[in-house]
Amino acid sequence: MVKKLKSIVGVLGLAGLVLAGCTGGQQAAKGDSPSSAQAADGSFKVALITPGSVSDAGWNAMAFAGLQAIESELGAEITNAEATGAKIRDVMRTYAQEDYKLIFGHGFEYNAPGVELAKQFPNTVFISSSGAETATNAGSFRFYLEQGFYLAGMMGAKMSRNKHLAMVGLNVPSIVSTFRGFEAGAKAADPNVKVTTVLLTDTKDAVAVKQATLQVIEAGADMIIHQANEAARSVFDACKEKGAMAFGSNADQNGDTSGVVLASAVIVAKPAFVEVARQVKEGKYQGGVTFIGMDKGAIDFIVNPAKAGQIPDDVKAAVEQAKQDILAGKIVVPKDEF
Amino acid sequence: MIESLISVLLFTTPLAIAAVGETVNQRAGQINIGLEGMMLVAAYVAAIVAIETGSPVLGIGAAIAAMIPLWLIQNFLTIQAGRDQVVVGTALNLCAIGLTSTLYQMRFGQSGQLLSVPQLPRWGGIDGMVLFGLLLVPVLGWWLFRSRWGLVLRAAGEYPDSVRSSGFSVARIRWEAAAVGAVMAALAGAHLSIGVGGTFVQEMTSGRGFVAVALVSFGRWRPAWVLAACLLVGGAEFLKFYYQVRQTALPYQLFLALPYLVALGVLVIVGKNSRAPAALAQPFRSNQ
C-alpha cells in the first residue's frame, strides 16, 4: 500500500515536471490569455512565428527586430513563438483565435499553412517570409537576399588565397537560392574560382555543422558564407580554428566575437515589417507577394569596419561598382522561384 | 589522414562515452531511454556554468551535479516503484527538452546574440575527454567482466532472483549502475557543448542519446564492441560530409546508409551468439 502511494506521488511529481517543461517551450502561452479580452477595445495584436531561436543574431533575430519596430512605431501588442513542422498550424490557429490581427511566419514553410488558415480567419492577415501562395488576407515577402550574397561572392573570390569558397547552409529552397547568388557573384569576379556547397539537414545539430565546416576548410576553402541560423557560432568557430574567413548572413554579424567575419549580407526587415503592419492596421492590406531588394533598402552588404583595413581598395571599389550596377539594373542577380 | 582520424575520434567521443555508460546500465537490466534528455541537460548546464565562471572544468562538475535530481527521479520511478522504464525515460526526455529550451529562452531568448562557450583545452586536436573515453573502455570492461561488482551487476540484468538469494540487493546494484550511466551522460553532454560544439543550441543533442542506446545492442553489450560501433557511426558521419565537400560522382546519401549496411553485415555474421541481458527493462519486485 505504502509502495503504491509512493509510486503515485512519484508519477504525479514527474507529470508536473513534464508539464512545467513543456508549457515553457512555447512563449506564445506566456501572458497571452489575459490580453485577448483587451482586443475587443481595439488594441492591435501582432505575432511572429520563427523556425528557431530569435537569439541567432541572424535570420530569426532580424525578424524579431521588425516585430519590435511594429511595437514601438505602431503601438502594437506583440508576441513571438518558435514552431516548426506540424506545430506551425497549431500555433497559427491559436493566435488567430486569440484575435491577433497580423501573424508573421518567418520562412517559406509558413506560406501554405497561412493561406489555408486565412480562409477560416478572415479577420487575421497571414504573412510569410518567402512563398508564392496568396489570398486577400494572406501573402508573403520575398527578400532578394541573393543580391547581398552576390556581392559577398565577389569579395570572397577576389580575396580567397586558395581560390576556393564554400557555402554551408540548410537544405531549403530559399537558402539554396541565395547560394546561387553567391556562386554567380564569385564566378563573375573570377571564373576559375571553386565554389563548394555543403547542405545540412538540421541546424540544431551545431556539432555536425561544425564538423561540416571544418571539413570544407580542410578541403581548401578559405572563405565561408553560411546559412546555418542558430548554429552560425559553430561555422565561425571552425573558421577561427582553421584560419579561414567568413561572411555573415541575414543580419549584421560583423561584431561577432570570433573576429572572423569580413562582411555581412543583410536583410533590413524593419521597414517592410512596419509597412505591412501599418496597412493591416488601417485595413488596407490586399494580399500578394511583396518583392523587396536593394533598391528599396531592404538588402545590403556591410563590410566589417574592423576588417576594412584587410580588404584591398580595388576589391572595395569593385564591390561598390557591382552594388551600383545592381541598383541601376545592369546586373540582374539570378534567383530560384519557389 | 591522421588529422581525419583525430577528427573522427573527437566528434565521436560524446556518443561513445554515453554509449559505454549505457552499456553498464543495460547490463544491470535497465534501459535508459532518457539518455538523450540527460545529455541535453548536461550540455546546457555545462555551457551556462562555463560561461559564468569561465572554467570548462567547473562546467563539467556542474553537469554531473545536475544529473543527481534526474537520476533520483528516474530511478525512484523505475527501481523503487517498478514503473515502465521506456515510459519514464520518454517523460524525462520531454521534460529535458522543455526545461532547457525554457531556461535558454529566459536567459538568452531575446538577446540577439550567439552563445559562445569557453572550450576545453586541446592538445594536437584532442582534449582530456577523448583520453578519458579511451581509458574508460578497458577500465569498465575489466570492471564488468573481471570484478566481483561486475559479476553481481551482470547477474542483476540476467537473473535478478539469483542476486537476491546470494544476499545482494538488486535495487542497490541497479541504482549504482544508473549512477555510472548518469555520470557518463553528464560527461557526454558536457563534451557536446564545451568540448566539440563551443556553443549551446536548443535540442543540440539531435538524437545522439537514442543512437547511443541503439549502439549498445549493436555492440553486443561489451564496452570495446560498443566503442567500435560508435567509431563506425562516427566515421560514416565524417564520410557524409567528406564526399559532399569533394563532390564525387556518387550521391552522398549513399554514405548515409553505410553504417547501417555495415551493422547489418556484422549482425548477420556474429549476431547468432549475441543475446540481450535476460532481465533487460524488467522491473524487479522483491516481494514476488
Side-chain angles (χ1 to χ4, degrees), chain A:
Chain A
M1 187 58 209
V2 174
K3 200 159 217 180
K4 202 159 206 176
L5 205 68
K6 261 197 214 166
S7 67
I8 290 170
V9 170
V11 170
L12 283 178
L14 192 69
L17 267 176
V18 170
L19 280 178
C22 290
T23 49
Q26 281 177 12
Q27 291 203 329
K30 204 165 59 188
D32 284 345
S33 15
S35 57
S36 45
Q38 295 168 7
D41 59 52
S43 79
F44 179 53
K45 300 207 297 181
V46 181
L48 168 72
I49 311 171
T50 52
S53 166
V54 295
S55 64
D56 65 350
W59 175 250
N60 299 309
M62 67 91 168
F64 187 62
L67 185 71
Q68 285 176 314
I70 292 173
E71 181 185 32
S72 59
E73 290 181 27
L74 302 177
E77 199 180 303
I78 60 165
T79 190
N80 67 302
E82 285 173 37
T84 51
K87 275 195 262 174
I88 291 174
R89 278 180 177 75
D90 291 346
V91 175
M92 278 186 172
R93 186 175 287 116
T94 306
Y95 281 140
Q97 282 167 347
E98 289 186 7
D99 226 10
Y100 277 79
K101 293 291 172 244
L102 174 58
I103 301 172
F104 287 103
H106 195 47
F108 175 75
E109 63 272 34
Y110 301 90
N111 184 232
V115 171
E116 189 188 309
L117 286 175
K119 292 178 201 134
Q120 294 173 35
F121 298 98
N123 295 323
T124 299
V125 171
F126 296 83
I127 305 282
S128 65
S129 306
S130 81
E133 289 181 51
T134 65
T136 50
N137 60 327
S140 67
F141 292 126
R142 172 71 164 87
F143 295 107
Y144 201 174
L145 183 60
E146 289 82 351
Q147 293 177 325
F149 268 60
Y150 183 93
L151 297 178
M154 273 194 105
M155 181 176 275
K158 286 184 181 292
M159 289 189 65
S160 170
R161 269 163 291 146
N162 302 345
K163 291 289 163 207
H164 189 169
L165 316 180
M167 314 177 276
V168 179
L170 202 58
N171 188 8
V172 296
S174 51
I175 285 176
V176 172
S177 180
T178 58
F179 285 175
R180 265 191 79 192
F182 184 79
E183 190 160 3
K187 298 283 186 197
D190 182 350
N192 297 321
V193 80
K194 192 174 166 190
V195 186
T196 306
T197 315
V198 182
L199 294 177
L200 310 159
T201 47
D202 176 16
T203 50
K204 285 198 194 302
D205 194 349
V207 172
V209 173
K210 186 164 187 185
Q211 198 177 17
T213 314
L214 285 174
Q215 289 209 31
V216 82
I217 298 171
E218 204 107 304
D222 57 3
M223 293 271 168
I224 318 288
I225 196 159
H226 79 89
Q227 280 271 33
N229 300 338
E230 63 265 63
R233 153 73 43 220
S234 302
V235 174
F236 296 152
D237 268 356
C239 289
K240 192 179 176 188
E241 228 170 82
K242 296 276 174 185
M245 296 300 285
F247 292 104
S249 68
N250 296 306
D252 185 347
Q253 297 176 327
N254 292 340
D256 188 80
T257 50
S258 63
V260 298
V261 183
L262 202 56
S264 294
V266 305
I267 298 175
V268 186
K270 265 191 210 175
F273 270 60
V274 173
E275 177 54 30
V276 82
R278 179 170 287 128
Q279 287 177 7
V280 171
K281 195 179 182 185
E282 292 168 0
K284 290 178 186 156
Y285 185 76
Q286 302 289 333
V289 179
T290 316
F291 190 79
I292 27 186
M294 227 168 223
D295 52 335
K296 301 207 177 99
I299 304 296
D300 203 356
F301 181 68
I302 305 169
V303 172
N304 185 352
K307 298 277 172 190
Q310 294 177 24
I311 303 167
D313 286 338
D314 61 314
V315 174
K316 279 186 213 160
V319 169
E320 186 52 41
Q321 184 57 45
K323 201 178 196 172
Q324 296 308 323
D325 286 349
I326 290 173
L327 284 171
K330 282 190 222 162
I331 295 175
V332 179
V333 177
K335 60 180 170 57
D336 291 336
E337 298 304 328
F338 47 83

Side-chain angles (χ1 to χ4, degrees), chain B residues 26-29 152-160 163 174 277-280:
Chain B
Q26 290 198 13
R27 276 286 182 181
V152 178
L153 187 142
R154 283 182 293 127
E158 294 290 350
Y159 191 54
V163 173
R174 288 187 170 178
L280 186 60

Side-chain angles (χ1 to χ4, degrees), chain B residues 49 115 156 224:
Chain B
V49 172
L115 218 52

Side-chain angles (χ1 to χ4, degrees), chain B residues 177-200:
Chain B
V180 173
V183 170
M184 296 310 148
L187 297 178
H191 196 232
L192 270 185
S193 61
I194 64 180
V196 285
T199 185
F200 176 83

Side-chain angles (χ1 to χ4, degrees), chain B residues 222-260:
Chain B
R222 290 180 170 269
W225 279 89
V226 171
L227 175 67
C230 291
L231 287 172
L232 198 65
V233 169
E237 280 287 312
F238 181 86
L239 286 182
K240 177 173 86 183
F241 294 127
Y242 188 89
Y243 285 101
Q244 208 181 348
V245 161
R246 278 159 190 78
Q247 291 162 327
T248 53
L250 292 167
Y252 73 94
Q253 285 88 345
L254 207 65
F255 296 94
L256 293 179
L258 190 68
Y260 308 104

